[in-house]
Amino acid sequence: MPLWVKFMLKKKSSYVVAVVGATGVVGKEMIEILEERNFPVSELVPLASERSAGERVTFRDKSWVVKKLSKDSFQGVDIALFSAGAERSLEFAPSAVTSGAVVIDNSSAFRMAPGVPLVVPEINAHAVVGHAGIIANPNCSTIGMVMALKPIHDAVKIKRIVVTTFQSVSGTGKEAIDELAGQTVALLNFRDIETKVYPHQIAFNCLPHIDAFLENGYTKEEMKMVNETRKILEDESIGVTATTVRVPVFRCHSEAVNIETERKISANEVRAILSSAPGVLVYDDPKKNLYPLAIDTTGKDDVYVGRIREDESIPNGINLWVVSDNLRKGAALNAVQIAELLIQ
Ligand code: L14
């Protein structure tokens, strides 16, 4: 028996679904999306740290008590959606798998582990087969970018990607949302600011620093974009280089993406290809001042692409502006879509 058969989800009419980090920004979004998409949930098991245990979450007009996350939390759980940070995932995901659950993990803990599928359903749904209990959800910025690039890669093969991100604070969590709001109000009232979550003031500022710095001078967030992109596109030959920047935006990540392709492709051809790509919406009419904006993509499922131009500095190059909701397609929606693949 191949190993993955052992971990295959048994088909049922409905499933016990645990959400780890149920009171967090992404956890809440997961619960909302499970409801919105009518996922067959027989029982919701909201889990969180000691601090949030006892709180309540609403799911299908019913109030569910959040329980304290422990290694015994997963008895009888079919699917466990984890979004409580890499440390929690490392500590508790193995217990969930041992209890018989399939884990869909939103953290960076297992993404690059060999044998752990890293999945964006529109792109590499086939990769879920072969999991050994854990399936990883890619980084929010990686998901938006590969959604826009995979159809182009299929058409003309991408050789190199240069990306700069403009990332909102919501991915960091509720404290970061409060920090941006609090600093903004304080500064407009000529008061001193507090800086707790980020190393510098985020209000009215841009921080070229997301996640920890590595020996090579890049941040972990930048290297996630490099390594995850290659794993998802199943192409180690693509060159990827990234600069990830935190901006004073609450929700949605924007990305300036420059690609060099093997064969020539025009801006119009890119528009045509992306127009028929599932989960991608071309929003590109500069004459009418139409281009993707973080404030417009909030709450949307699609990845919005605009400002599509030929890079006139090289023979085969394209520039794009990609915006997506980091909490939805960048996190909770993609995780629920993976769960949908498992029960198909
Ligand atoms: O999934 O925006 O690896 O501060 C880590 C950084 C999620 C977002 C990940 C942020 C990201 C987070």
Side-chain angles (χ1 to χ4, degrees):
M1 170 169 98
L3 187 64
W4 61 269
V5 173
K6 177 165 174 268
F7 295 102
M8 244 173 48
L9 194 67
K10 272 204 209 69
K11 297 281 177 306
K12 300 179 180 176
S13 58
S14 61
Y15 300 84
V16 178
V17 179
V19 176
V20 178
T23 56
V25 179
V26 172
K28 281 187 182 151
E29 200 75 27
M30 284 171 161
I31 293 169
E32 251 179 68
I33 293 178
L34 287 169
E35 174 163 345
E36 217 178 88
R37 295 173 73 93
N38 243 319
F39 194 87
V41 178
S42 57
E43 192 193 329
L44 184 75
V45 182
L47 299 166
S49 65
E50 181 113 63
R51 201 160 34 96
S52 304
E55 282 179 33
R56 284 167 171 277
V57 294
T58 307
F59 175 65
R60 293 193 184 137
D61 296 325
K62 214 184 127 188
S63 165
W64 306 69
V65 179
V66 178
K67 300 205 191 94
K68 181 178 172 243
L69 171 65
S70 80
K71 291 188 172 157
D72 311 316
S73 299
F74 301 96
Q75 295 305 323
V77 170
D78 297 306
I79 300 170
L81 304 175
F82 271 69
S83 189
E87 272 174 49
R88 293 272 155 69
S89 293
L90 285 169
E91 190 176 349
F92 295 100
S95 318
V97 175
T98 311
S99 303
V102 177
V103 169
I104 300 170
D105 184 39
N106 246 281
S107 80
S108 58
F110 305 107
R111 288 179 190 147
M112 294 312 298
V116 174
L118 183 64
V119 178
V120 179
E122 291 88 344
I123 297 179
N124 63 338
H126 61 88
V128 285
V129 177
H131 73 80
I134 300 178
I135 299 163
N137 202 57
N139 171 267
C140 36
S141 293
T142 308
I143 294 178
M145 184 171 82
V146 294
M147 283 289 289
L149 295 188
K150 165 74 169 157
I152 305 173
H153 187 52
D154 286 344
V156 288
K157 195 163 184 342
I158 295 172
K159 287 200 325 208
R160 179 165 183 256
I161 304 168
V162 181
V163 56
T164 304
T165 68
F166 306 73
Q167 299 185 215
S168 65
V169 298
S170 50
T172 315
K174 203 180 162 312
E175 301 73 29
I177 295 172
D178 292 344
E179 183 150 305
L180 172 57
Q183 288 181 355
T184 306
V185 171
L187 289 164
L188 290 174
N189 286 283
F190 308 101
R191 289 199 307 262
D192 291 337
I193 59 154
E194 272 188 68
T195 297
K196 283 191 272 181
V197 178
Y198 297 122
H200 302 280
Q201 174 187 321
I202 181 61
F204 311 104
N205 204 7
C206 298
L207 311 179
H209 176 185
I210 297 180
D211 208 339
F213 279 102
L214 296 164
E215 267 317 298
N216 66 358
Y218 286 85
T219 61
K220 280 190 182 173
E221 189 80 350
E222 287 160 350
M223 294 316 293
K224 286 176 222 166
M225 293 196 76
V226 173
N227 298 321
E228 295 178 20
T229 298
R230 290 181 177 155
K231 180 166 177 175
I232 298 163
L233 297 181
E234 295 167 4
D235 189 342
E236 292 299 316
S237 74
I238 301 184
V240 186
T241 188
T243 303
T244 58
V245 182
R246 184 84 60 192
V247 294
V249 168
F250 286 107
R251 189 160 167 166
C252 297
H253 291 356
S254 307
E255 307 180 36
V257 186
N258 174 265
I259 55 169
E260 185 175 358
T261 59
E262 206 160 277
R263 294 182 294 284
K264 171 111 197 125
I265 188 165
S266 69
N268 271 334
E269 284 166 321
V270 171
R271 271 182 217 107
I273 287 173
L274 292 183
S275 295
S276 56
V280 178
L281 201 117
V282 174
Y283 198 74
D284 194 16
D285 194 351
K287 290 199 186 78
K288 293 192 181 129
N289 295 345
L290 287 184
Y291 30 74
L293 295 175
I295 53 170
D296 297 331
T297 54
T298 294
K300 301 278 169 43
D301 287 351
D302 284 329
V303 172
Y304 283 55
V305 185
R307 300 298 322 281
I308 300 167
R309 291 149 289 155
E310 281 149 47
D311 175 351
E312 296 176 343
S313 73
I314 48 172
N316 304 336
I318 291 286
N319 281 303
L320 318 128
W321 176 251
V322 180
V323 185
S324 77
D325 189 329
N326 58 306
L327 302 180
R328 287 183 77 90
K329 187 58 186 165
L333 171 63
N334 198 71
V336 173
Q337 286 177 306
I338 294 172
E340 288 170 351
L341 283 180
L342 292 174
I343 66 164
Q344 257 168 31

